[in-house]
Amino acid sequence: MIALIRNAQKYRERNAIISEGITYTYQQLLDTSKDIALALLSGDHDLQEARIAFLVPPGFSYVAIQWGIWRAGGIAVPLCVKHPLASIQYVIEDTEASVIVHSSEFESLLAPLKSLPNVRFVRSGQFRKQQGSLPEIDSRQRAMILYTSGTTGNPKGVVTTHQNIEAQITSLTTSWEWSQNDHILNVLPLHHVHGIVNVLCCALWSGACCQFLDRFDAAKIFDLFSENEVNLFMAVPTIYFKLIAHYNELSKSEQHALSVALKKFRLMVSGSAALPISVMEKWKQISGHELLERYGMTEMGMAISNPYRVERRPGHIGQPLAGVQVRLADENDHPISDTMSGEIQVKGPNVFKEYWNRPKATSEAFTQDGWFKTGDIAVLENGSYRILGRNSVDIIKSGGYKISALEIEEVLRSHSQIKDCAVVGIPDEEWGEIIGASIVLLSGTLHPDQLKAWLKDKLPGYKSPKKYLFQEDLPRNVMGKVTKNELKQLFIDQ
Ligand code: MLC
Ligand code: AMP
């Protein structure tokens, strides 16, 4: 049996999930996920490693479906509730999903896909109590596919097995001392490793309680913090930035009451993007907490973390987590001495199995001796790693989302008025980076609002450029290659 579900049996009477004001126990999660698994299997469907996509808001139903898919032997493919149909369809077609589970609010969005051949649509509210037995699940089986942007145009599906997920969970639960007394608030999107593994799965592995907010809302988060139930919080730097901005708008007495509540937390973590020291310091003044910064990636869960108990180093990501091997390597994948900077390469049971249906991309992601090449450049300083940047200018991190410049360029180039374009990440205190697009028009004029409206059904909102620069030609070197660093500077100087 899947370890996460076997574990849950130790905590049957405890609270597992709170969503929409309702509290659900581990027993309810076990029962409902079993019903879902049996319903998915009914009609003699063999779901071993079948891709089952699901589109439901964060909450109990999401978790019960995720567990139901796993218990039926399937591979869980979470879809993003904010994505336009084109992005959802891409994931469904790329994974060749045979079942799509969705809640009623997505009925009309998904309607155009109903004609897809060999796809079964299942409404999440329609699961009935079922009798029957569930298949044996091997921990080496594929469990989940999450989509991530890379240096190729289209997002790739990152496949993890049950064993991978278990390794990702246990290195965090031991390093950060999770226990059944913990209560975490989950405000993160549930199609990425941060919200799914670090928050949800770690809580459920530990017998703790995971409370959901359906979306990010600073005022609601502070209200919940003030109830003194939540004692753990994990978020991306942009969220801490937004919480600080909201705190600054409160009255002195509200600020005081909130700070008192925050000081009682056990742990607050930041990751998915570099934490600006200014954000760390302001949050410390507000909450009394030095944010624990850690480093990870969809392909490997978390790899490096500041320590839980001893001193954390601002601007640094810390040391390898339990069970994870880390090295720095040069461009020939040779390990380098500790004093030099190089690519972070990672090995361990936490590292993913493959990119779905992309053997070439998978083999290119590993060195010949099996190290995963992260593409992040770091240096080791007094025993603590510090990220210096990425080896590709085409990877942008905005608000914790990884975004491929090439994917956006490909879409922009399909506009009838666009002759050429180049997309870059522009440094920004709130978002880490924001997307800038330089556009060369064939003729006429185009307003950024028109482009934004045109992109709306083609790309998720967070992939839509925030700044545009219309140019006669793109900056290029003598070889004719676009000089993206020069372009970045043009945006900065704007
Ligand atoms: C939203 N918008 C963004 C954005 N998020 N723009 C750029 N970057 C982002 N990340 C835009 C929307 O398109 C919209 O634009 C406007 O902001 C308001 O949208 P919203 O959806 O209401 O925004 P909000 O809820 O405030 O979202 C901000 C956020 C969100 C920070 C809460 O981006 C978020 O949840 N980020 C977390 C991502 C995450 O979990 N990453 C982990 C990946 S795993 P307009 O123009 O239409 O108004 C990973 C590994 C690891 O990285 O180490 O963890
Ligand atoms: P994703 O592919 O969305 O999982 O994002 C993974 C990437 O996020 C990593 O390759 C890093 O570039 C970045 N990242 C995650 N955590 C940190 C951190 N603490 N500091 C800097 N970058 C980070």
Side-chain angles (χ1 to χ4, degrees):
M1 189 190 278
I2 302 153
L4 189 60
I5 287 147
R6 190 178 54 233
N7 237 357
Q9 297 176 355
K10 292 190 283 192
Y11 307 113
R12 288 177 188 279
E13 304 312 317
R14 297 190 63 82
N15 295 337
I17 304 287
I18 303 178
S19 62
E20 292 181 274
I22 304 172
T23 304
Y24 302 86
T25 61
Y26 279 85
Q27 185 66 59
Q28 284 171 293
L29 186 53
L30 287 166
D31 291 345
T32 311
S33 59
K34 184 175 181 194
D35 289 341
I36 293 173
L38 290 170
L40 290 171
L41 289 163
S42 69
D44 282 340
H45 289 285
D46 176 8
L47 295 179
Q48 289 298 327
E49 296 203 332
R51 279 74 63 207
I52 305 183
F54 60 117
L55 183 61
V56 294
F60 177 73
S61 180
Y62 175 100
V63 190
I65 292 167
Q66 182 195 52
W67 283 29
I69 294 169
W70 285 341
R71 299 181 81 178
I75 305 178
V77 184
L79 298 168
C80 175
V81 291
K82 286 187 178 172
H83 277 184
L85 184 65
S87 310
I88 286 173
Q89 183 169 354
Y90 172 76
V91 172
I92 289 170
E93 290 182 344
D94 194 63
T95 55
E96 296 161 286
S98 55
V99 186
I100 297 164
V101 183
H102 66 92
S103 50
S104 54
E105 63 260 59
F106 298 108
E107 185 75 45
S108 59
L109 176 76
L110 295 174
L113 304 185
K114 292 268 161 89
S115 55
L116 285 176
N118 308 321
V119 183
R120 188 158 55 114
F121 285 80
V122 181
R123 280 272 288 276
S124 59
Q126 289 173 349
F127 294 113
R128 309 244 172 289
K129 203 126 207 74
Q130 305 271 336
Q131 297 297 326
S133 59
L134 294 173
E136 250 327 293
I137 311 296
D138 188 316
S139 63
R140 290 163 301 183
Q141 250 174 258
R142 293 170 179 81
M144 186 157 71
I145 304 183
L146 301 179
Y147 273 76
T148 188
S149 294
T151 44
T152 52
N154 284 330
K156 298 190 287 276
V158 174
V159 181
T160 42
T161 62
H162 288 286
Q163 252 173 8
N164 293 146
I165 296 174
E166 193 181 320
Q168 293 176 3
I169 296 171
T170 50
S171 76
L172 290 184
T173 51
T174 46
S175 302
W176 298 346
E177 302 186 18
W178 275 85
S179 85
Q180 60 178 20
N181 299 321
D182 286 323
H183 185 142
I184 193 159
L185 181 65
N186 196 347
V187 301
L188 293 167
L190 291 180
H191 64 300
H192 280 303
V193 76
H194 197 167
I196 299 172
V197 174
N198 297 26
V199 182
L200 174 62
C201 292
C202 283
L204 297 180
W205 180 274
S206 310
C209 179
C210 181
Q211 181 161 8
F212 287 100
L213 264 192
D214 55 353
R215 61 190 185 83
F216 173 77
D217 180 330
K220 278 195 192 157
I221 292 176
F222 282 168
D223 286 347
L224 286 169
F225 285 173
S226 302
E227 288 173 9
N228 291 314
E229 297 285 343
V230 177
N231 73 336
L232 268 178
F233 190 61
M234 298 181 191
V236 301
T238 304
I239 289 185
Y240 287 105
F241 184 99
K242 286 174 180 286
L243 291 178
I244 292 166
H246 187 68
Y247 178 93
N248 289 338
E249 285 168 12
L250 300 177
S251 69
K252 284 277 169 266
S253 64
E254 287 169 326
Q255 287 184 344
H256 176 73
L258 186 64
S259 291
V260 169
L262 289 173
K263 288 200 170 80
K264 294 185 200 145
F265 273 55
R266 179 173 80 75
L267 174 66
M268 291 180 163
V269 179
S270 172
S272 305
L275 175 66
I277 292 185
S278 59
V279 173
M280 186 172 190
E281 282 170 352
K282 283 180 203 151
W283 190 253
K284 190 172 179 185
Q285 280 165 15
I286 290 172
S287 69
H289 284 266
E290 198 145 76
L291 288 170
L292 185 157
E293 182 169 10
R294 91 310 176 274
Y295 159 85
M297 201 169 172
T298 308
E299 286 88 336
M300 60 189 188
M302 300 304 109
I304 303 177
S305 168
N306 270 282
Y308 175 63
R309 288 205 174 262
V310 290
E311 203 196 331
R312 298 167 194 166
R313 285 195 43 209
H316 291 70
I317 51 171
Q319 293 79 34
L321 280 157
V324 183
Q325 285 173 267
V326 173
R327 73 176 192 186
L328 296 180
D330 65 17
E331 55 275 16
N332 298 315
D333 295 329
H334 294 139
I336 54 170
S337 91
D338 280 357
T339 52
M340 288 160 71
S341 64
E343 182 186 40
I344 301 178
Q345 299 190 341
V346 176
K347 228 184 217 190
N350 55 307
V351 176
F352 75 126
K353 183 178 175 68
E354 63 194 353
Y355 292 114
W356 180 252
N357 264 342
R358 286 177 173 84
K360 187 164 172 278
T362 307
S363 72
E364 283 168 3
F366 288 88
T367 65
Q368 285 190 338
D369 50 349
W371 291 82
F372 171 61
K373 295 155 66 80
T374 63
D376 291 307
I377 308 298
V379 64
L380 189 63
E381 291 174 340
N382 297 324
S384 193
Y385 286 95
R386 182 162 66 86
I387 302 260
L388 300 174
R390 284 180 296 268
N391 63 12
S392 168
V393 72
D394 289 320
I395 302 287
I396 301 169
K397 261 268 158 165
S398 178
Y401 283 120
K402 192 183 201 183
I403 296 160
S404 160
L406 305 182
E407 182 188 357
I408 302 167
E409 289 167 6
E410 234 165 74
V411 176
L412 285 172
R413 278 199 200 99
S414 69
H415 190 287
S416 59
Q417 266 179 277
I418 293 180
K419 184 173 161 201
D420 204 356
C421 66
V423 167
V424 290
I426 313 161
D428 182 82
E429 206 196 352
E430 177 170 5
W431 296 98
E433 286 178 305
I434 55 170
I435 304 169
S438 168
I439 307 283
V440 181
L441 290 174
L442 275 169
S443 60
T445 55
L446 204 52
H447 193 274
D449 289 345
Q450 287 171 285
L451 272 174
K452 193 176 164 185
W454 179 79
L455 283 171
K456 213 173 168 54
D457 60 359
K458 296 178 180 61
L459 285 174
Y462 57 83
K463 292 185 181 175
S464 191
K466 283 204 168 45
K467 284 195 175 175
Y468 283 96
L469 189 63
F470 291 89
Q471 294 186 291
E472 288 287 307
D473 196 5
L474 303 171
R476 293 175 195 276
N477 63 17
V478 283
M479 311 292 288
K481 193 172 180 295
V482 176
T483 46
K484 290 214 167 175
N485 285 328
E486 202 179 322
L487 186 57
K488 263 184 195 219
Q489 199 55 48
L490 287 178
F491 275 105
I492 296 167
D493 297 340
Q494 236 186 359

